[in-house]
């Protein structure tokens, strides 16, 4: 397997587990939501994430790779991230879904951009918004409007999440599969540069949340 | 709306919320499972429950009933049940899914048998096994074989669950919609008799678990 193919497998494996955890977190949101309409909406988003997981699972299988083997290196990384950023309440959970998954998705898209067009396309497809962004924006804005004092705490929480996800992204780029990939004019990937649009998109999300400092 | 139609709406409303909580619990199982194969299997079962929820949702809508209104009376009942029977570990959660949902499903089937054939059919369809029974049996048997000392605790837990679910079922039969229904030769429903096959099926499940006393 060449360096590019190895990175494709890494990316699809990480993303398959990312989608499985997004599924579980949306289902947890469904359980915690009070309004039945929110429960139904979050349940539908969970199902969409599971569909994405299955799509990636099938793609790995068709590449001749055992999806469990492809996911395995990312299970401890992603589980550890979720353990160390367990939300202390419903609002923190909603913000985590929007901010954390948002940065993760942008990072995965940047990695996919280094790879073959079918991979880029598949990754774009499974990372399409499930409707969560508008749900999260509405929920956060309504809660902050009713209790402006919580804005500071939530802004800090979002900043901590951003730090953790970006740290995780850097961690992934330290893997051999990443280090071996040579792009364009024979240079290694400039990770700092690759993360610039990811950070910029995060700042945009903070503005939309009304939490930009 | 006649007494039978009112009971149909009650049954479908209760069942729609039951399926939504089964979805969330299976997704929680997916999050807690260690083996990736279990995670994927439980996720697939969760998705099936959400599909059942949507099927019941559509049926209520086609009967001219707002599904949220039909579900509303059962939300506190079902939530209260889950709060008072929160599993203390993974094994208790697996047993709860098998024993608790098993009794619930049998009860709903008995109620459906009192109603029109399309309702009986729909209820049978949405209560079809998602594959959870064999997963639960395998998990419980393996765990008890490795640690026979836990069998007593698990048998007690299953007995407590059975008591709680049967209590909930009786609670549901105390609703007006139930009291107004007159079956067969003009008699009210004999709830005690209706619960006999439900209890017998529970005993069978305890035998299959290897936990019958």
């Amino acid at each position: 397997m060449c360096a590019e193919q190895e990175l494709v497998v890494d990316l699809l494996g990480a993303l398959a587990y990312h989608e499985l955890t997004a599924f579980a977190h949306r289902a947890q949101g469904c359980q915690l939501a009070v309004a039945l309409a929110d429960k139904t909406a979050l349940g539908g988003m969970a199902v969409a994430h599971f569909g994405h997981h299955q799509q990636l699972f099938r793609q790995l299988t068709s590449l001749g790779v055992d999806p469990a083997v492809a996911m395995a290196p990312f299970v401890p990384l992603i589980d550890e991230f979720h353990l160390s950023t367990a939300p202390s309440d419903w609002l923190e959970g909603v913000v985590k879904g929007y901010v954390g998954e948002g940065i993760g998705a942008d990072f995965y898209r940047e990695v996919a951009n280094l790879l073959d067009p079918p991979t880029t396309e598949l990754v774009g497809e499974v990372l399409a918004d499930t409707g969560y962004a508008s749900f999260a924006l509405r929920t956060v804005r309504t809660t902050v409007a009713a209790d402006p004092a919580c804005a500071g705490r939530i802004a800090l929480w979002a900043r901590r999440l951003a730090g953790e996800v970006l740290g995780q992204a850097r961690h992934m780029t330290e893997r051999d599969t990443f280090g071996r990939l040579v792009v364009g004019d024979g240079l290694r990937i400039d990770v700092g540069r690759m993360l610039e649009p990811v950070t910029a998109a995060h700042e945009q999300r903070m503005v939309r949340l009304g939490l930009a400092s």
Side-chain angles (χ1 to χ4, degrees), chain A residues 107 110 166 169-170 173 190-200:
Chain A
F107 168 69
E110 290 299 323
L166 288 167
R170 283 199 173 270
T173 61
D190 183 341
V191 175
R193 207 161 191 176
M194 204 183 79
L195 290 179
E196 278 170 17
V198 177
T199 311

Side-chain angles (χ1 to χ4, degrees), chain A residues 39-124:
Chain A
K39 281 184 182 287
T40 307
L42 289 163
M45 294 173 207
V47 170
H49 283 296
F50 195 75
H52 297 155
H53 165 76
Q54 287 179 307
Q55 216 175 327
L56 293 157
F57 196 99
R58 281 192 300 270
Q59 179 62 11
L60 283 162
T61 307
S62 81
L63 293 173
V65 179
D66 177 349
V69 172
M71 282 190 272
F74 306 101
V75 172
L77 272 181
I78 295 177
D79 282 355
E80 168 56 31
F81 164 72
H82 287 302
L83 270 176
S84 69
T85 58
S88 68
D89 64 12
W90 160 249
L91 187 62
E92 285 192 6
V94 172
V95 171
K96 180 176 166 180
Y98 180 62
V99 168
E101 284 174 33
I103 299 175
D106 286 334
F107 168 69
Y108 289 127
R109 270 189 215 100
E110 290 299 323
V111 178
N113 283 340
L114 304 171
L115 302 166
D116 58 293
T119 299
T120 316
E121 201 180 315
L122 173 64
V123 169

Side-chain angles (χ1 to χ4, degrees), chain A residues 1-10 60 63-65 177 180:
Chain A
M1 212 182 255
C2 72
E4 180 168 346
Q5 279 169 328
E6 279 177 0
L7 188 54
V8 167
V9 171
D10 250 24
L60 283 162
L63 293 173
V65 179
T177 46
R180 274 199 296 273

Side-chain angles (χ1 to χ4, degrees), chain A residues 9-28:
Chain A
V9 171
D10 250 24
L11 175 62
L12 302 187
L15 206 43
Y17 194 64
H18 168 92
E19 288 297 314
L20 198 61
T21 56
F23 152 74
H25 289 132
R26 237 23 39 88
Q28 200 173 14

